[in-house]
Structures are given as structure tokens and as C-alpha cells.
Amino acid sequence: MWVEAPDDLRLRRGLDRDGEDAREHWLAWMEAERDHYARHRTRERADVRLDAFGRPVA
């Protein structure tokens, strides 16, 4: 299963949960995550793809 959301929404949700002090961690995490998923073609290999609100995406 792959769940995707725009970076600004992901960051806002992370900071809402973890606090503003976690901003640099979140930004670094998101960059590393993007590279990892691209390298391994994770989205393309998923059987189910959903948006940030649980709706199916192509």
C-alpha cells in the first residue's frame, strides 16, 4: 500500500504532532525518504495507492 500527500501537508502534520523543534529533522527525513522511494520505485510497486485522505489514486 502506498499513501501519498503533498510535502506541505506532510510537514504540517508532522510538526503538529512533533512540534516546531522537529522541523529540521522532518525536512531531512522527507528528503531521504523521497530518494529512497524513488530508488526502489516503491510507488510503482504498490498494489494499492491512496491519497492523504484515503481516496484511491492512479
Side-chain angles (χ1 to χ4, degrees):
M1 177 176 288
W2 172 263
V3 178
E4 59 187 63
D7 284 348
D8 60 332
L9 177 60
R10 295 175 59 227
L11 181 59
R12 182 173 50 83
R13 286 178 174 178
L15 296 178
D16 285 351
R17 185 189 65 225
D18 300 335
E20 186 62 35
D21 289 344
R23 178 178 290 275
E24 290 306 313
H25 170 77
W26 264 100
L27 293 173
W29 174 273
M30 289 167 64
E31 183 177 346
E33 183 180 56
R34 191 171 22 257
D35 292 345
H36 174 84
Y37 290 147
R39 185 171 45 257
H40 294 282
R41 299 182 47 230
T42 308
R43 184 187 192 280
E44 293 84 4
R45 294 174 38 222
D47 295 324
V48 176
R49 295 177 194 95
L50 303 174
D51 71 8
F53 304 98
R55 297 176 298 225
V57 295

